[in-house]
Amino acid sequence: RVNTPAKLTLGAFAVGPLRPPLRWLQPRRCSARADGEAPAGPRRRTAGSLSAQVGSGPSFQDFVRRVSVKKPAVGKEDLSENPNYLPEDLQEGNSRKVYFETYGCQMNVNDTEIAWSILQKKGYERTAQLSEADVVLLVTCSIREKAEQTIWNRLKQLTAMKNKRMKTPSPMKIGVLGCMAERLKTELLEREKLVDVLAGPDAYRDLPRLLAVAEGGQQASNVLLSLEETYADVMPVQLAPQGHSAFVSIMRGCDNMCSYCIVPFTRGRERSRPIGSILEEVRILSDQGVKEVTLLGQNVNSYRDTSEEQFCSSDPTRLSRGFQTVYKPKQGGLRFSDLLERASRVNPHMRIRFTSPHPKDFPDEVLELIAERENICKQIHLPAQSGSSQVLKAMRRGYTREAYLDLVRNIKEMIPGVSLSSDFISGFCGETEDDHQQTLSLIRQVGYNVGFLFAYSMRKRPHFWKVA
């Protein structure tokens, strides 16, 4: 495996034995004779002869002259801002063809557009024919076991194709990107040995280098998660340039730590993209004729931009009434209501949607804005996951059935005619038949327009993760 320089830790370096600290040495006598008894023979010296010998030796200035070696000055042109052990020309695509396969959520669709934007600038070409591909990249999902099994089966198929092309002038390289790369890095690289390149959700900028390393016959991996927004300045290449709708990523990661969810471990902590870069992307899409934009995030309505100092006030974030979080209230920044208000003004004729939100992040100012602006779609995704307060507590969702129903009533009062959709998990740990029936009664009581229903899928990960 080849690690990126940014991933090197102390354990990657050989550390020599520590030297003892310098201290003043007290004079000691090495002879066993009693104090005052002079040694015999040729070792006997007088103070005068020793002084004469020291005086005839090199002076301090002699030592200074010997170590003062002038080093050539280094000009700014010789310094690399981002030193890399691979020359830039080796990271060029040279018209090699890339084939993408995207699995999972809308965030993965957006990630594909970002990855392609980065590779396109390096001279790679896109192909829709697998048989023509020099590089096959799978953008993967890890939220459920079935999604991962689909990828494992696909990798075995692709490996069979790759083996047939081993002796051709252009052998195929296989890469796994996204959440599955983050979660199963060891199995993918070491146990199965089915992939040449592994890149986590925050490592797409490193794809040109990783592919260059793979061209040399080595496996290459970068699964380092970031604490900052990684792609704020990357303009995604829309996969359907003539399409009327587009996705715009506004934040990544999640801090909610629901007990069933692997997202915080595959996507990392919450970090929001600066509002200026989001609005610029929306403007560009509007100029291209896009009629509908969907704002994306793992917890999209917890958006909070603190990139500019003047936005960092002492006001804590406000939650929906009756909801709580596992983390401390966050201070300052531009909130989701600020972004939604500004995005809706870019083009009053462009529709604005957002997904996927958390019910806790719907304070009244967000609902009032949705009701007020005609181009913000009157459709809200409100994931409930369960209708049982007992199961919701075990899931660490931060609300009860009653609090959720109060929010639904508030939304329907403030946004007449609103369309509601939701997510539900069936078969969670400890769920009883009565808990299941409570979920069914919640569905009937709310009257959702759309529902996404899933059987619970066990994920291997720590249960608790402290969020400051």
Side-chain angles (χ1 to χ4, degrees):
R1 185 188 309 180
V2 178
N3 292 320
T4 65
K7 286 192 62 194
L8 293 177
T9 61
L10 185 59
F13 294 95
V15 180
L18 297 176
R19 296 184 179 181
L22 296 176
R23 56 184 180 272
W24 292 105
L25 300 177
Q26 299 294 330
R28 60 176 180 171
R29 295 181 174 83
C30 299
S31 172
R33 296 176 181 272
D35 291 351
E37 184 177 355
R43 297 172 59 191
R44 184 174 183 178
R45 293 177 180 173
T46 64
S49 63
L50 181 60
S51 177
Q53 185 176 359
V54 170
S56 62
S59 68
F60 174 73
Q61 294 300 323
D62 293 321
F63 285 103
V64 172
R65 279 194 294 270
R66 293 190 62 182
V67 301
S68 296
V69 180
K70 290 186 178 180
K71 297 182 179 181
V74 180
K76 291 184 179 180
E77 65 277 2
D78 298 322
L79 297 175
S80 175
E81 184 179 359
N82 296 307
N84 200 318
Y85 62 88
L86 280 179
E88 285 293 326
D89 59 334
L90 292 182
Q91 299 183 44
E92 294 295 325
N94 298 319
S95 300
R96 294 168 63 206
K97 291 182 170 58
V98 181
Y99 178 85
F100 284 94
E101 285 188 7
T102 305
Y103 300 81
C105 65
Q106 294 97 328
M107 284 294 292
N108 281 359
V109 175
N110 185 255
D111 281 0
T112 302
E113 296 169 353
I114 289 173
W116 172 229
S117 175
I118 292 168
L119 291 176
Q120 187 182 51
K121 291 179 180 178
K122 284 292 184 178
Y124 286 85
E125 293 182 359
R126 183 85 181 269
T127 180
Q129 303 299 322
L130 178 60
S131 58
E132 298 177 355
D134 301 304
V135 178
V136 178
L137 297 178
L138 307 183
V139 185
T140 63
C141 175
S142 197
I143 198 73
R144 287 177 294 277
E145 186 176 7
K146 183 178 179 181
E148 290 186 351
Q149 190 56 51
T150 300
I151 302 299
W152 283 119
N153 295 337
R154 185 57 170 156
L155 283 174
K156 291 175 182 178
Q157 296 171 1
L158 293 173
T159 301
M161 294 180 59
K162 173 184 172 182
N163 291 337
K164 293 179 181 179
R165 291 177 50 178
M166 288 297 291
K167 296 182 180 180
T168 64
S170 58
M172 179 190 293
K173 299 299 178 183
I174 301 173
V176 171
L177 280 55
C179 294
M180 192 169 168
E182 193 70 40
R183 193 180 94 82
L184 297 174
K185 39 191 171 286
T186 302
E187 289 85 344
L188 286 164
L189 283 175
E190 297 178 4
R191 191 184 72 189
E192 299 291 343
K193 299 186 183 299
L194 297 177
V195 301
D196 303 290
V197 168
L198 210 62
D202 291 347
Y204 302 145
R205 288 183 185 274
D206 201 27
L207 276 173
R209 187 191 67 83
L210 296 175
L211 290 171
V213 171
E215 276 297 295
Q218 302 180 62
Q219 289 180 308
S221 169
N222 184 349
V223 290
L224 181 68
L225 288 174
S226 173
L227 289 176
E228 299 177 353
E229 171 51 40
T230 319
Y231 309 113
D233 60 336
V234 177
M235 180 62 185
V237 177
Q238 301 296 328
L239 300 185
Q242 303 303 320
H244 296 294
S245 63
F247 296 121
V248 175
S249 175
I250 69 168
M251 61 85 65
R252 291 175 178 270
C254 184
D255 288 349
N256 291 322
M257 290 306 298
C258 301
S259 60
Y260 57 82
C261 188
I262 199 172
V263 166
F265 300 93
T266 59
R267 291 282 184 170
R269 299 286 296 272
E270 286 183 10
R271 62 270 191 207
S272 297
R273 183 176 170 187
I275 196 168
S277 68
I278 298 172
L279 297 177
E280 179 61 22
E281 184 172 342
V282 173
R283 289 188 192 99
I284 293 173
L285 292 172
S286 176
D287 292 342
Q288 293 175 352
V290 171
K291 302 301 182 183
E292 181 178 279
V293 163
T294 301
L295 307 179
L296 290 180
Q298 271 79 33
N299 189 17
V300 67
N301 54 340
S302 70
Y303 175 86
R304 190 174 65 98
D305 174 21
T306 58
S307 61
E308 307 240 355
E309 188 176 352
Q310 64 265 31
F311 299 150
C312 298
S313 66
S314 58
D315 296 336
T317 52
R318 288 183 290 274
L319 303 179
S320 307
R321 287 186 291 274
F323 288 70
Q324 59 185 5
T325 65
V326 297
Y327 53 81
K328 299 175 183 177
K330 299 179 180 180
Q331 307 292 323
L334 290 171
R335 313 298 166 79
F336 185 63
S337 57
D338 300 308
L339 171 61
L340 204 57
E341 192 274 334
R342 298 188 189 189
S344 66
R345 284 194 282 110
V346 171
N347 181 348
H349 302 290
M350 173 189 281
R351 292 191 298 270
I352 305 293
R353 297 183 183 271
F354 55 90
T355 196
S356 178
H358 191 287
K360 69 177 176 59
D361 295 307
F362 278 106
D364 286 351
E365 57 262 32
V366 172
L367 301 177
E368 290 170 356
L369 186 63
I370 295 174
E372 173 191 330
R373 296 295 165 89
E374 293 185 0
N375 63 329
I376 300 180
C377 295
K378 307 304 183 279
Q379 187 274 327
I380 293 179
H381 188 60
L382 208 62
Q385 307 302 357
S386 175
S388 164
S389 293
Q390 180 177 333
V391 174
L392 290 171
K393 182 178 180 181
M395 289 178 169
R396 302 206 302 178
R397 289 290 288 173
Y399 54 88
T400 62
R401 174 192 176 101
E402 292 72 27
Y404 182 88
L405 286 172
D406 286 343
L407 175 60
V408 170
R409 283 190 287 270
N410 191 37
I411 290 174
K412 288 185 174 182
E413 288 176 3
M414 298 184 69
I415 312 173
V418 66
S419 171
L420 295 178
S421 59
S422 191
D423 296 336
F424 290 95
I425 296 174
S426 179
F428 186 69
C429 305
E431 182 178 303
T432 65
E433 177 62 25
D434 180 64
D435 294 325
H436 180 68
Q437 291 300 324
Q438 290 184 54
T439 297
L440 296 181
S441 71
L442 179 74
I443 294 174
R444 286 190 290 265
Q445 185 173 347
V446 174
Y448 299 101
N449 297 84
V450 178
F452 301 91
L453 317 177
F454 305 96
Y456 174 63
S457 180
M458 183 71 76
R459 303 283 77 196
K460 294 180 181 179
R461 61 167 188 79
H463 182 76
F464 293 104
W465 185 47
K466 183 178 180 182
V467 180

